[in-house]
Each structure stands twice: as C-alpha cells, then as structure tokens.
Amino acid sequence: MAYISFQPSDFFNTILYTGDGSTTQAQTGVGFAPDMVWLKCTSGAESHVLGTTPQGGNAYLIPNSTAVEGSLTNYLKSFDSDGFSVGSGGFTGGSGNDYVAWNWKGGTTSGITTDGSTTITPSSYSFSADAGISILKYTGNTTSGAGLAHGLGKVPAFFIAKDLGSTESWTVYHQSLGATKFLSLNGTGTASTSSVRWNDTDPTTTNMILGSDTSVNNTSMMGYCFAEVKGFSSFGEYTGNGQLDGPMIFTGFRPAFVMVKCTDSADGWYMWDNKRSPSDGFNVLQYNLLANSSDAQGTSANYMIDVVSNGFKLRDNNVGDNGGGNNFVYAAFAAQPLISSNDKAGTAY
C-alpha cells in the first residue's frame, strides 16, 4: 500500500490571526508559499474572501456571493513565502477582528499535461499532482463536452467553478453525486440534475469535462480541482442518523479541515478546522462557519464533529450535518495520516 511521501502540512495549513487595521499586515506561519488562500472573519459578520496566485495579488472572489472578481488593495494584497499579506478591509484585516485563513499549495506553473480530448488549456495555473491540488484560471468555450486540462494525473473528486466576469453561482462537482448533478457553494439548495454543467460525463485523469453552461464554461473562469490522495484528502458521502451519537466517517487520516453539505435537504456548507476548536484538550470541533454565509462563527453544541486518527464522527443531531436519513457529501484535508512514509518514527497514528 502506498502512502503520501510528504506531511499534510506541506500542502494544507490553517492559521488564525487578529487584524490591526493597518494598510499592510503580513500573516506568517503557514509553512509554505500558498497558492490559494481562503479567509473569513470569525468574530463578526463579514464575507469570505478567496484569492489565488493564478489571479494575482489584490484579485479576489467572495464564496458566499455571486459577485464578480474584485481587485482591492485593502483585502488580500499578496502571496508571500510563508503566508500572505492583507490590507485594512473588514473582510480580511479590520482592527481587532479575528480571522481564520485556510491555505493550499500547488507549485507547478508550467507544463500541464493535455491529450486529444483537451479543448481548454488554462491560461494560468498552479498544481501539485502529488497532493491532488489544481488551481486553474481558464477561458471557456461554452461548448458541451469541453475538456479542461487539470494537471493532476488522477481523476478529480471535487471541482468548484466560478465565472470571474458575471454573477453566476459557484458550481460544485462531487464524485459522490456524479456527473449528472451539481451543488452551489454560495447557496443552501439541494443537489440539482443538469446535463449542461458536466455534460453527464465523468472527468478523466487529464481533463475535467465541462458542459455548455456559463457557470462552468464562460469567457473568464476560475476552477479549483482536487483529486483524492490517500493520507491527505478525502471526498465522500454519508447518511445521517439524527442522533447525538452520529455516524463515523472514515477518511484514513486525522482531519485538519472538514466541509459538509446536505444534498437532499436545503441547508448550508458547514466548515470546521483544527485550529479553531475549543481548548478543552479533546477532539471535538465545535466552532463552525458556513461557506455560503457571512455570519460570524457559530459556537453552538448543535454543530459538532469529533476528529479522530482515522476520520471524523458527527456529535449532533442537526439536519444540516446529521439529519436522520439525509444524505451528505464532504471534503476533508489531513492533519496527520494514519501512516506517513516520511514520519521519522514510522508511527501509525
């Protein structure tokens, strides 16, 4: 059995910081130069901000909104060697506000693989085939069955698309739903059936297959593409039981980040990470955010997960993440794998 040859924190890490209201605030401690930074104020009602190196400094999108790409110097200013810099805006650096930043690394910016089915080659990108992370800026062709090169060498499990130039919704592909259905990241809706999002065609090891809909295949687009990597990332599904002793979801690692969406009942995208958890000495993550909302973080025990060495367990009976008989999809990234081939002690966690 193969395991990852890197530590999860080489490609994903969460940091917390407090804004000071100054025009340039360097946030360090990420552990690598990030290519994708997703920011959220946790102490107040401020929108999410998501920026990437293919877009460049100052350019950003708002995951809880259909707004077009913005470019303001007082939000996400630059991507740095050990983090990023923000400005004084309340979304990212307001004085006295508390923030969380989720960071991903790509790193490869040339030589993306294409094949005879590729019809869209990204104009700018950063990917890591090892970590299964690909951040793509591309010009679509509004043609059904378009093949977008992703560079991963593995079949994508999770893909998010956003039109940079129009107020289209964020459109999500998840392998557990398949190529006939999609979700909206900025909304609470259930999984919808459509042939014009993914052309009813599964992605390949080279291409993400796009339909003709402008939410995924228009003039100026961003795509965030992830493949499953054992010991680092997991994209799966589960059925809720509506009990405080909820289902256990096996990921093969201790999660650092979990996002969950109900697919058959209208509710939000719940997000947890291992840096905002209560300092109680236990594994329970109680501080949740909603990807589709500007709300401050929730601290209610009604939304809790328990992270363990091989996955996470639901610890509430709320419809949004553990409704009885409801179906859910999730995305998770690792803090520690069960076994890491570069762990000095060779320990099974």
Side-chain angles (χ1 to χ4, degrees):
M1 180 180 293
Y3 294 92
I4 57 173
S5 59
F6 56 85
Q7 292 293 347
S9 58
D10 294 341
F11 287 93
F12 174 80
N13 198 15
T14 302
I15 65 167
L16 308 177
Y17 68 93
T18 300
D20 63 20
S22 60
T23 56
T24 301
Q25 305 168 50
Q27 309 302 336
T28 60
V30 171
F32 52 81
D35 292 297
M36 173 174 161
V37 179
W38 186 336
L39 302 165
K40 177 67 178 81
C41 179
T42 59
S43 58
E46 300 279 5
S47 284
H48 296 249
V49 169
L50 175 57
T52 68
T53 53
Q55 294 167 269
N58 298 329
Y60 66 93
L61 287 162
I62 301 175
N64 58 285
S65 166
T66 62
V68 301
E69 181 182 50
S71 181
L72 293 174
T73 59
N74 62 342
Y75 288 151
L76 182 56
K77 297 172 71 74
S78 65
F79 300 88
D80 307 329
S81 61
D82 185 33
F84 54 90
S85 293
V86 298
S88 59
F91 287 4
T92 61
S95 180
N97 290 349
D98 295 325
Y99 297 89
V100 60
W102 303 295
N103 303 270
W104 290 262
K105 178 183 177 180
T108 302
T109 58
S110 63
I112 198 166
T113 298
T114 60
D115 64 17
S117 298
T118 302
T119 56
I120 302 173
T121 301
S123 58
S124 181
Y125 51 85
S126 183
F127 69 88
S128 168
D130 287 341
I133 297 168
S134 184
I135 305 154
L136 312 167
K137 185 175 183 179
Y138 62 97
T139 299
N141 58 20
T142 63
T143 301
S144 297
L148 169 65
H150 53 68
L152 296 178
K154 309 174 185 69
V155 175
F158 189 56
F159 180 77
I160 305 171
K162 177 66 177 84
D163 188 337
L164 293 172
S166 69
T167 55
E168 294 276 5
S169 285
W170 295 71
T171 304
V172 180
Y173 165 89
H174 195 290
Q175 65 176 1
S176 297
L177 296 174
T180 64
K181 295 184 181 295
F182 74 95
L183 292 162
S184 294
L185 184 67
N186 55 283
T188 60
T190 60
S192 299
T193 301
S194 171
S195 63
V196 296
R197 263 58 175 200
W198 320 120
N199 202 48
D200 292 350
T201 308
D202 291 328
T204 72
T205 57
T206 303
N207 300 305
M208 187 72 207
I209 309 303
L210 307 178
S212 60
D213 193 85
T214 53
S215 68
V216 300
N217 191 2
N218 207 3
T219 304
S220 181
M221 301 290 306
M222 280 301 300
Y224 313 86
C225 192
F226 302 91
E228 279 196 328
V229 175
K230 186 176 295 184
F232 176 67
S233 58
S234 179
F235 307 93
E237 62 183 333
Y238 64 91
T239 299
N241 65 11
Q243 301 176 24
L244 296 179
D245 184 12
M248 170 65 196
I249 290 79
F250 176 81
T251 61
F253 52 76
R254 180 183 179 88
F257 173 93
V258 176
M259 180 163 65
V260 165
K261 175 71 176 79
C262 185
T263 60
D264 52 13
S265 181
D267 215 310
W269 292 80
Y270 291 89
M271 308 171 79
W272 299 267
D273 63 72
N274 62 346
K275 299 296 175 67
R276 293 179 297 121
S277 59
S279 56
D280 57 8
F282 296 100
N283 299 323
V284 175
L285 306 187
Q286 182 175 322
Y287 297 168
N288 62 84
L289 287 162
L290 290 168
N292 56 284
S293 172
S294 62
D295 289 352
Q297 72 178 3
T299 59
S300 171
N302 290 334
Y303 296 96
M304 297 195 305
I305 63 172
D306 191 357
V307 293
V308 294
S309 64
N310 61 353
F312 64 97
K313 182 176 176 63
L314 280 300
R315 290 294 189 186
D316 64 67
N317 59 0
N318 223 299
V319 173
D321 60 358
N322 189 26
N326 287 120
N327 295 308
F328 300 83
V329 293
Y330 71 85
F333 293 90
Q336 283 183 330
L338 281 173
I339 299 174
S340 174
S341 61
N342 70 339
D343 176 66
K344 293 178 181 178
T347 304
Y349 295 103

